[in-house]
Amino acid sequence: MTELAGRHGAVNLGQGFPDSDGPAGMLEVARVAIAEGCNQYPPGRGLSVLRAAIVRDRARIGLDYEAEGEVLVTVGASEAVSAAILGLVEPGREVVVIEPYFDLYAAAIAMAGARRRTARLVPDGDGFTLDVDSLRAAITPATRMIVVNTPHNPTGAVLDRAALLAIAEIACEHDLLVLSDEVYEHLTFDGVEHVSLGTLPGMRERTIVVSSAGKRFSVTGWKVGWACAPAPLLEGILAAKQPLTFASGGPFQLAVAHALDNEQEWTAHWCAKLSDKREFLSNALRAAGFGVRHSAGSYYLCADVAPLGEPDALDFCRAMPERIGVAAVPVRVFADDIAPWQTLVRFTCCKRDATLTEAARRLTRSA
Ligand SMILES: *Cc1c(COP(=O)(O)O)cnc(C)c1O
């Protein structure tokens, strides 16, 4: 879709990366670190200043980790996810993902020689929630891990405490690991609370919490992420990470350490701006005739093209860059069972106001 957007000069609301920079102080720390020679391999587990900052960051939500044995710095959340699945899931075991799901999970499960089973989100008012029965039904004796993502890409759903307690209960009952992808943990709207799975009863010992600086500090190109987990689990993740990349991004690690301690206000402000952007884009899509779904967090919101008389979002998204001059992604590409998602389109709202205004102008013109 990004290529199509380029070909037709479309406003790209497909790929989720901001077109504005992160906090100036953080960018400066990276520049200074490069200038002052912080340019060789960092330790495999990550710079200790960053691991310590990650520990302080987790402590703010009530989770205590040891910087030495329970925190691993990775090449974005992506590597944390891949290494956790490669390192902790034996070939032939099963991993449950909740669809629609971030495409990386399926690839990592395949690389691990494991099998993917799916639970699903279902409509709940004008948003989405977990179908707990579908999760129960997806568990078999071969299940090793459940992958959870909240706030959620692609729907913008934020799982509430009840849904997460249900996941926790199932995980404890069947003695499963849970990989909790929380890259949008600080980006929830309207006062909606993000609950980290690791804080629920019985969960810290079985949860791998994954997060990243990319979405939170608007530096998706830096690829600094991390995994936090009990030491025996972390050793497994490290065993997979070491031959993948060993280490990365020393200057960026220093800058993210600075940001975790000093840029919480910046993130709160970024979140407030994102919330406004979501409102603006929702209104524009509604005015253009789309059936807009509620987004409670993340960089995304979804809109239904069925009210436009369109039977399929994939066809619609292929035509949209030329027809409307805006690019977006059909949600069905994130699902194995496409039927419930057939007419839904994911738009990112993380762009500059001028970018969104131009997208709104084009959408309105098309209506
Ligand atoms: C963007 C994203 C990632 C990848 O994060 P990086 O830090 O860029 O590797 C992982 N999970 C979800 C749900 C995402 O949206």
Side-chain angles (χ1 to χ4, degrees):
M1 290 308 163
T2 294
E3 194 194 313
L4 266 182
R7 201 181 310 154
H8 296 290
V11 179
N12 188 358
L13 303 184
Q15 212 180 346
F17 62 89
D19 53 1
S20 54
D21 264 335
M26 176 189 73
L27 304 179
E28 184 58 19
V29 173
R31 269 192 293 269
V32 169
I34 292 170
E36 293 186 349
C38 171
N39 297 310
Q40 307 305 330
Y41 293 127
R45 288 172 189 267
L47 288 176
S48 61
V49 285
L50 175 54
R51 280 182 284 134
I54 292 167
V55 166
R56 286 190 289 276
D57 186 59
R58 293 296 92 181
R60 280 178 213 117
I61 59 163
L63 272 170
D64 287 320
Y65 288 100
E66 289 279 335
E68 284 311 309
E70 298 186 317
V71 178
L72 178 65
V73 176
T74 55
V75 184
S78 304
E79 191 193 34
V81 166
S82 299
I85 293 173
L86 285 169
L88 299 174
V89 181
E90 281 77 35
R93 297 292 297 268
E94 293 177 355
V95 178
V96 178
V97 294
I98 300 168
E99 66 181 1
Y101 57 84
F102 190 53
D103 39 6
L104 168 71
Y105 307 149
I109 293 164
M111 284 193 287
R115 282 196 305 269
R116 172 174 87 250
R117 293 180 65 91
T118 50
R120 60 177 175 267
L121 295 184
V122 286
D124 176 34
D126 58 359
F128 303 90
T129 191
L130 174 68
D131 175 352
V132 175
D133 291 336
S134 76
L135 178 58
R136 281 203 180 281
I139 307 296
T140 77
T143 309
R144 170 71 162 150
M145 177 187 278
I146 304 172
V147 181
V148 179
N149 167 221
T150 184
H152 186 246
N153 176 7
T155 63
V158 176
L159 294 180
D160 64 11
R161 190 173 287 272
L164 293 165
L165 279 168
I167 295 171
E169 191 187 308
I170 292 168
C172 291
E173 183 185 326
H174 296 275
D175 195 19
L176 306 175
L177 300 179
V178 174
L179 178 60
S180 187
D181 180 343
E182 304 183 8
V183 297
Y184 300 103
E185 59 185 323
H186 294 284
L187 306 177
T188 63
F189 311 138
D190 313 317
V192 167
E193 179 195 25
H194 164 71
V195 178
S196 181
L197 259 171
T199 61
L200 299 182
M203 291 306 286
R204 187 196 183 280
E205 66 206 65
R206 62 181 71 255
T207 303
I208 301 106
V209 180
V210 168
S211 197
S212 161
K215 307 289 166 49
R216 175 174 179 175
F217 297 121
S218 190
V219 281
T220 60
W222 282 14
K223 300 295 288 187
V224 176
W226 49 90
C228 298
L233 295 179
L234 203 86
E235 290 308 310
I237 305 170
L238 179 63
K241 185 240 169 15
Q242 227 155 15
L244 286 173
T245 59
F246 177 62
S248 69
F252 300 129
Q253 290 191 27
L254 269 184
V256 170
H258 166 86
L260 286 174
D261 283 333
N262 299 291
E263 302 291 1
Q264 286 150 42
E265 254 174 63
W266 187 93
T267 297
H269 186 58
W270 172 222
C271 181
K273 282 198 292 191
L274 271 176
S275 173
D276 291 346
K277 291 172 190 296
R278 167 205 56 155
E279 280 305 304
F280 178 81
L281 185 59
S282 296
N283 289 336
L285 287 165
R286 217 171 275 124
F290 290 75
V292 177
R293 299 289 187 271
H294 178 70
S295 166
S298 83
Y299 275 6
Y300 305 105
L301 66 95
C302 287
D304 196 339
V305 295
L308 302 173
E310 294 286 341
D312 186 82
L314 182 57
D315 293 339
F316 181 83
C317 287
R318 283 203 177 111
M320 190 163 51
E322 188 173 5
R323 221 172 88 189
I324 302 180
V326 174
V329 177
V331 173
R332 51 173 277 186
V333 304
F334 301 100
D336 296 330
D337 175 17
I338 63 171
W341 311 100
Q342 187 110 25
T343 57
L344 225 52
V345 177
R346 185 195 78 174
F347 291 85
T348 185
C349 59
C350 68
K351 304 294 183 179
R352 280 193 302 243
D353 290 346
T355 312
L356 294 175
T357 302
E358 178 57 22
R361 195 182 64 78
R362 295 175 181 204
L363 285 162
T364 311
R365 192 180 55 192
S366 78

